[in-house]
Amino acid sequence: MCGIVGYIGPRPTTDVLIQGLRKLEYRGYDSAGISVFADRKIQTIKSKGRLADLEKKIKSGIWQQGNIGIGHTRWATHGEPNDVNAHPHGTSKLMLVHNGIIENYLSLKEKLQKKGYSFDSETDTEVMAKLIDFYYLGDPLEAIYDAISKVRGSYALGIMFADYPDRLYAVRKDSPLIVGLSDDENFIASDIPAILEYTKRYYLLDTNEVAVVKKDGVTVYSPDRTVIQKNELIANWDTEAAEKGGYDHFMIKEIHEQPKALSDTIMPRISSGIPVFENVSDDDLKSVKRLWIVGCGTAYHAGLMGKYAIEKLAKIPVICDIASEYRYRSPLFADGDMVITITQSGETADSLAAQRLSKENGVRTMAVSNVLGSSIPREADDVIYTWAGPEIAVASTKAYSVQLSVMYMLAIKLALLNQQIDMETAKALTSELTKVDDIVKIVLKMDRHIKETAEKYKDCEDLFFIGRGVDYALAQEGSLKLKEISYIHSEAYAAGELKHGTISLITEGVPVIALATDPKLFEKTGSNIKEVKARGAKVICLHTEDFEEAHKISDDEFVIPKMNPLFTPLPGVCVLQLFAYYMACARGCDVDKPRNLAKSVTVE
Ligand code: F6R
């Protein structure tokens, strides 16, 4: 959701900025721009469209590399994607790039207009730039502090001042920003992949800390304007992790990384045959009487699966909610509640707000996140990190799988602590979970069959998913994956709900993916398959080896190895991810950068 970079150092600045933006393009890709110091002034170039369009524009004119600069790749919030609305924005005194939303920008704009400022773009960012300009009397720090004290909303800002060609300024609130550290060069970036090629050392900026980034050092000021010492962190991702590594798209690479992501997330947490969570005390878990799980999109779907697993094994009631809904209703908390926020990025605005609401109500919070030190885990009481490595493709795949694995481990742990299962059962379940990466490897080998099946159905306009129990939760994720990257209209229904309305949508030739991985529910889902077939649907059935009848009643099949039905969504989702991927490829869609979307949704 908008990516920002900044660089100061001896390298060709434009190249470093473009390279950084390339790594951040997953955060937004409707326009891009950079500003650099050259010929003793700030020069800016921007372009609607992909980063490649900006590069073309740079190459087609006279452009100097510069030795300090900022860059931006945009996901439009205020104003359509065009050259004027693209960042950087500014005045003769300063230029800035912004990720976030300035909520009170209209009233600030009016005030600035009364002071004589005029505006070229429709963006909230231009208001922020002109507000800083208004307060600027020669001291950038003062101007930044004064301006941020007047704005409501979220921001990560990279700023250059014309009077100070030897430094960049950076500040953030509720949008991510890191400062990359090296010996004779320094960086700012929305995310680690943008700096990985040059350094693994970085600072995380906290709310309203201002970093002054020079070539030979970085000074960080606290919100009360005193110099502070920051903890230097080291990124544990390598450069390869943020590259496509020979695959056509990040999405397919990340689908194939799932066995490793699962074993990296599960194995270090198994001790004496059962799950153990570092820094989460058994006493705290024992005191949980009811759980809330919140998240957005795919992370919410992982929560739905968590509800099944935790209620089934631990017999603890779970309320699963979409973060953007939860935060605006009045959740009725009670003693013994705990709220788990699931989030790959750790920065999703609605999930962060949901967690803050829980905290304000005195409820214990736990974050399940894939990004070390991101806002949501930093603010949570307890954290369980997933170790999937960087997820670059906009469509989440490996992050979902590892989130499920954490839900399963948590369910086993809570069940044991709650004395709902004995040690032997806990060990047996854990042992099965530790082998799931091997089953996932087997399923990933079905790649070719799934591709061929997808090609058969690629021209459909609508596609429905049906399932019961865990398969219903899985159906929702399968449907989201398909629609977000292939643009095929798709819905997921509880198989038993069909006859209460939905079945009227089934017409001749409409594909229905029936998920039937739970032997206890084969018969029931089997009946629903027959119902849709009788109305002309083409049924693709995803089932385990022991559902023999599936062969007779479906048109196509995806057969996965038999295992504990609670865990089948793990291999099951790999099939659905591959299906969505190959459908999107067959339709010529830009898989890693789906229309209108961006990763890490840091605005409401
Ligand atoms: C879908 C997808 C999104 C995210 C959602 C939450 O493929 O990626 O639905 O799951 O935006 O993001 P995080 O997990 O970063 O909070």
Side-chain angles (χ1 to χ4, degrees), residues 346-360:
E347 299 289 351
T348 300
D350 284 315
S351 304
L352 180 60
Q355 180 171 275
R356 285 182 180 163
L357 175 80
S358 318
K359 288 196 85 152
E360 280 157 25

Side-chain angles (χ1 to χ4, degrees), residues 90-105:
T91 66
S92 58
K93 294 183 215 154
L94 66 104
M95 289 305 283
L96 63 77
V97 285
H98 169 219
N99 169 27
I101 286 190
I102 307 301
E103 287 164 6
N104 57 337
Y105 83 108

Side-chain angles (χ1 to χ4, degrees), residues 295-300 342-348 351 376 391 393-397 399 403 477 480-481 484 598-601:
C296 302
T298 289
Y300 164 69
I342 305 184
T343 169
Q344 187 282 129
S345 63
E347 299 289 351
T348 300
S351 304
I376 295 172
E391 192 180 64
V394 167
S396 185
T397 54
Q403 287 160 357
E477 176 56 11
L480 172 61
K481 219 76 319 169
E484 73 173 316
K599 206 167 182 71
S600 189
V601 184

Side-chain angles (χ1 to χ4, degrees), residues 464-482:
F464 298 98
F465 287 77
I466 57 170
R468 288 168 182 267
V470 291
D471 284 332
Y472 175 44
L474 181 61
Q476 293 176 67
E477 176 56 11
S479 173
L480 172 61
K481 219 76 319 169
L482 180 75

Side-chain angles (χ1 to χ4, degrees), residues 26 237 254 344 370 389-393 395-400 599:
Y26 67 88
W237 294 348
E254 289 164 7
Q344 187 282 129
N370 196 45
E391 192 180 64
I392 311 277
S396 185
T397 54
K398 60 179 179 172
Y400 174 79
K599 206 167 182 71

